[in-house]
Amino acid sequence: PSTKPSTNQSTTEKPLQPCQETPPGLVGRLLIEFSSPMSMERVQRENPDVRQGGKYSPPDCLPRQKVAILIPFRHREHHLKYWLHYLHPILRRQKVAYGIYIINQFGEDTFNRAKLLNVGFMEALKDDEEYDCFIFSDVDLIPMDDRNLYRCYEQPRHFAVGMDKFGFRLPYAGYFGGVSGLSKSQFLKINGFPNEYWGWGGEDDDIFNRLNAIASPWTGVAVWGHCHGACGTLGHDTDLGGAWLCSSWLGTALFNQGQVYFARGLTLEVSGLGSVPPWCPHTDPTLLLAPSISLNGMKVSRPDIRIGRYRMIKHERDKHNEPNPQRFTKIQNTKMTMKRDGISSLQYRLVEISRQPMYTNITVEIGRPP
Ligand code: UDH
């Protein structure tokens, strides 16, 4: 009589564990340079795990998010090779599940970055409805540190805080250009991006304004103050929608001249608390913080300036992307225009979708300025 060998295998596969919050294989600062020539063959050779269409998922853990990376594009093949060369390995180390989408504007009419990104959002979701995070990146911006994690956060994310061309500093507090990221729900909350910025500039400020418009304290802010009598026109704060009049018992917010009370996200930052202005003697600063603040607003989050560094591939201004002279007036009106101009009003004609080994190319006709 023979004894049957056990069929129990000791090598049964273990279920994958969720990827760690901080990926273990990051290397930190990176050397980024654009002097050695780059070829798509090399990028392909060096990234064999990337699937057709520029998709990747970590093999050894369950990624927490599915990220679509959207790049507005026209005639920048040279930059794209460097972008793919640097970004695929970085994203792999960051343990994200991702897909790269090049949103290529068809024809030679005026370029429209934000509209292309709206198209990217729609088309990426058509390709895979599981995307829950969208990162919008210029093709010429390469992060210099892989701790700048390309994923979505509780609040809208601005990644490109320290670009070399701005001396590795934020050029101004409300800058939201270069590389940014929004979850699906954050994106939809602001009705996506504007479609009506043709040519260079302004669209990133419009997006920043959209985010701040949602931070409007009128929705559920439990901030209130006590101020007898009319105290004049007070603190100007773009976060809260401009200058407000502090009359008696507004029940919503109290502003003191020169002092601004920021209602941001779920926390309330109060500056200048404690110095009751003499012109409003009945102000009681202790009343400013109500115990339960329920704000569903948004606040831009950013990486540390030492980590959010970027190199930009130098280039001349592109043809058909001249500075848009209307941009200054337009960004004054975001609050009015954002409801009608955005993902809800987006129209385009798909020309072609082609799956390349390192990215998915979406060529689209988006019209021209009126
Ligand atoms: N883009 C294209 N093709 C174009 C225009 C823009 O692909 O024809 C995309 C690309 O992803 C680019 C992004 O849109 O990274 C932003 O456009 P941009 O690079 O022109 O904007 P940036 O502010 O440069 O980076 C402005 C021109 C600087 C001229 C400097 C001359 N020394």
Side-chain angles (χ1 to χ4, degrees), residues 65 132-136 149-159 176 179-187 189-190 207-208 210-216 239 263-269 293-303:
Q65 298 180 8
D132 48 8
C133 173
F134 298 82
I135 293 185
F136 310 93
L149 297 177
Y150 275 33
R151 58 172 70 155
C152 286
Y153 295 75
E154 286 284 309
Q155 297 296 331
R157 187 77 163 179
H158 181 229
F159 296 93
F176 199 65
V179 188
S180 58
L182 272 69
S183 70
K184 185 177 171 185
S185 70
Q186 289 162 355
F187 185 86
K189 227 179 192 174
I190 60 168
I207 296 164
F208 185 81
R210 286 173 183 238
L211 300 171
N212 282 303
I214 302 296
S216 161
D239 277 350
R264 289 181 158 172
L266 290 167
T267 55
L268 190 80
E269 297 162 26
I293 294 163
S294 70
L295 230 185
N296 62 18
M298 296 204 238
K299 173 198 177 179
V300 170
S301 87
R302 294 192 168 103

Side-chain angles (χ1 to χ4, degrees), residues 40-202:
M40 203 57 94
E41 291 69 38
R42 174 169 166 199
V43 180
Q44 263 171 253
R45 201 170 55 243
E46 292 176 352
N47 295 282
D49 305 342
V50 174
R51 299 193 310 275
Q52 187 78 359
K55 306 206 173 152
Y56 177 82
S57 195
D60 50 355
C61 60
L62 281 177
R64 292 163 185 266
Q65 298 180 8
K66 204 158 199 185
V67 184
I69 302 186
L70 312 177
I71 301 182
F73 188 88
R74 186 164 66 184
H75 307 321
R76 295 279 194 100
E77 287 69 17
H78 175 62
H79 293 181
L80 180 59
K81 286 177 217 156
Y82 284 113
W83 192 95
L84 295 165
H85 165 72
Y86 282 117
L87 266 294
H88 275 304
I90 292 175
L91 295 166
R92 191 160 53 235
R93 289 199 295 279
Q94 294 187 349
K95 301 280 178 207
V96 275
Y98 67 85
I100 310 291
Y101 295 85
I102 303 303
I103 324 300
N104 179 29
Q105 180 168 340
F106 179 79
E108 297 304 324
D109 285 320
T110 311
F111 196 72
N112 187 329
R113 177 178 180 269
K115 187 167 183 182
L116 289 171
L117 294 172
N118 274 342
V119 172
F121 176 87
M122 296 299 290
E123 291 300 318
L125 277 177
K126 273 194 220 161
D127 187 36
D128 184 342
E129 60 182 21
E130 284 183 5
Y131 284 122
D132 48 8
C133 173
F134 298 82
I135 293 185
F136 310 93
S137 175
D138 284 358
V139 71
D140 52 9
L141 283 174
I142 314 292
M144 296 171 70
D145 196 308
D146 64 4
R147 290 169 294 182
N148 191 358
L149 297 177
Y150 275 33
R151 58 172 70 155
C152 286
Y153 295 75
E154 286 284 309
Q155 297 296 331
R157 187 77 163 179
H158 181 229
F159 296 93
V161 296
M163 286 156 50
D164 53 1
K165 73 163 173 178
F166 296 131
F168 299 110
R169 281 194 301 264
L170 208 56
Y172 51 97
Y175 182 64
F176 199 65
V179 188
S180 58
L182 272 69
S183 70
K184 185 177 171 185
S185 70
Q186 289 162 355
F187 185 86
L188 291 174
K189 227 179 192 174
I190 60 168
N191 191 21
F193 293 171
N195 300 304
E196 296 174 5
Y197 282 78
W198 299 92
W200 182 89

Side-chain angles (χ1 to χ4, degrees), residues 33 130 147 154 201 203 207 216 225 242 280 284 304 312 347:
E33 56 88 24
E130 284 183 5
R147 290 169 294 182
E154 286 284 309
E203 84 296 341
I207 296 164
S216 161
C280 186
D284 179 357
D304 188 291
M312 197 186 93
Q347 290 190 356

